[in-house]
Amino acid sequence: MSSEMEEVRLNLGHIELAAHLFGPADGLPVIALHGWLDNANSFSRLAPRLKGLRILALDLAGHGHSDHRPAGAGYALADYAHDVLRVAEQMGWAHFALLGHSLGAIISVLLAGSLPERVTRLALIDGVIPPTSGPQDAAERMGMALQAQLRLDSKRKAVHPTLDQAIEARMKGLVAVSREAAELLAQRGLMPVPGGFSWRSDSRLTLPSPTRLNEAQAMSFVQRIACPAKLVVAAEGMLARHGTLLEQLPFEREQLPGGHHLHLNDEAGATLVADCFNRFFGIP
């Protein structure tokens, strides 16, 4: 396992993103996409264990050291997918694999289904399609999202007096993580502010989506994927309880012990996920 990593920045014209670059220069091109409110350090345990891959682990827009979107803009899934394509152009990668966790897995599925000719392999960790809803909920959801957007102007980010308190807050977040995982995410996600520390992530990331796909629309992306795909399901994660959805997926699937961040929470989990994906990519 090599831990060599290069910090890079990519100017996409409309936004500048930060990233970590791992692996040999002649390795198989892979773009790695982290989960909601995480950052590129999500792959700091996993990426060095993957063999023969040139992995570009992004800070998605609004996360980590990447720029926030301009005032008035939002964080739609299609905009993330567009960013990834711009990144591929910057890297000179006409074809590339995607490695995604949670939100990053969702973006990966949408992109691989939209442009199946561009994506060579799909490696997913505890995420597949976005949350769905029926058409009868569309107007109510839009109203809820618009009101939340207006209220955001009067809200201030939480300030944690100490670094340790900020890390503990991340450990107890909507999706709990280990202390080690929280510390790794904090290295890239925290910034000093008057009175302590605050998370760098854009507050607009917490806004509800004004629209959602219905289940048939979401599954249409899955059905168009043409490349080999491998899904790691965390036994104590978010997908394990969605057996009906999992049975509909035409992907190779493997369930591993651990929570939603099993690839980051500890060395044992990272090793299990790496062993799984090294077999999937098939590079000796």
Side-chain angles (χ1 to χ4, degrees):
M1 181 183 75
S2 171
S3 59
E4 289 186 15
M5 179 274 293
E6 180 185 353
E7 178 84 31
V8 296
R9 292 195 68 84
L10 300 158
N11 189 332
L12 309 185
H14 65 291
I15 198 167
E16 191 170 289
L17 301 185
H20 286 165
L21 190 57
F22 299 87
D26 60 350
L28 178 74
V30 179
I31 299 175
L33 307 175
H34 61 75
W36 178 64
L37 299 182
D38 291 343
N39 54 60
N41 264 8
S42 178
F43 298 102
S44 59
R45 290 190 194 272
L46 178 61
R49 289 174 159 83
L50 297 176
K51 302 172 184 175
L53 306 180
R54 184 66 161 170
I55 300 172
L56 185 73
L58 293 177
D59 284 337
L60 292 170
H63 297 76
H65 291 289
S66 286
D67 288 349
H68 295 186
R69 297 211 189 278
Y75 288 89
L77 291 170
D79 295 324
Y80 285 126
H82 173 242
D83 291 344
V84 175
L85 288 175
R86 289 283 190 183
V87 165
E89 296 295 321
Q90 287 280 309
M91 297 297 293
W93 294 346
H95 304 95
F96 50 89
L98 290 168
L99 166 61
H101 169 242
S102 194
L103 169 63
I106 292 169
I107 298 166
S108 298
V109 166
L110 297 184
L111 184 51
S114 299
L115 296 173
E117 69 278 5
R118 297 291 303 272
V119 181
T120 59
R121 282 186 177 261
L122 201 56
L124 309 173
I125 304 171
D126 221 42
V128 182
I129 60 172
T132 60
S133 64
Q136 69 277 5
D137 302 323
E140 183 180 359
R141 169 159 288 280
M142 178 74 77
M144 176 183 66
L146 291 172
Q147 292 285 11
Q149 191 171 2
L150 289 175
R151 289 195 298 269
L152 190 66
D153 291 340
S154 61
K155 289 185 178 180
R156 296 183 62 188
K157 271 191 175 184
V159 176
H160 306 280
T162 67
L163 184 62
D164 193 61
Q165 286 174 296
I167 289 169
E168 287 183 3
R170 181 62 187 89
M171 290 172 63
K172 300 171 185 176
L174 186 63
V175 180
V177 298
S178 70
R179 171 168 286 277
E180 291 180 12
E183 288 172 349
L184 286 167
L185 294 172
Q187 288 174 11
R188 200 163 180 83
L190 283 178
M191 61 182 179
V193 296
F197 296 88
S198 187
W199 290 88
R200 293 178 183 275
S201 52
D202 193 332
S203 298
R204 288 173 292 178
L205 294 169
T206 64
L207 291 173
S209 170
T211 59
R212 279 187 176 177
L213 302 176
N214 63 38
E215 186 174 340
Q217 290 172 320
M219 289 302 293
S220 72
F221 290 90
V222 171
Q223 291 155 4
R224 287 194 80 229
I225 291 171
C227 65
K230 180 68 175 273
L231 170 63
V232 166
V233 178
E236 292 84 47
M238 302 178 77
L239 279 184
R241 58 183 178 267
H242 295 286
T244 302
L245 169 62
L246 293 176
E247 291 302 320
Q248 296 179 61
L249 300 173
F251 303 156
E252 185 182 349
R253 191 167 76 245
E254 186 164 342
Q255 183 165 301
L256 297 175
H260 185 57
H261 287 76
L262 75 167
H263 65 298
L264 180 65
N265 275 331
D266 53 46
E267 297 289 340
T271 298
L272 287 175
V273 176
D275 289 346
C276 176
F277 285 150
N278 279 327
R279 294 194 304 272
F280 171 63
F281 281 101
I283 298 175

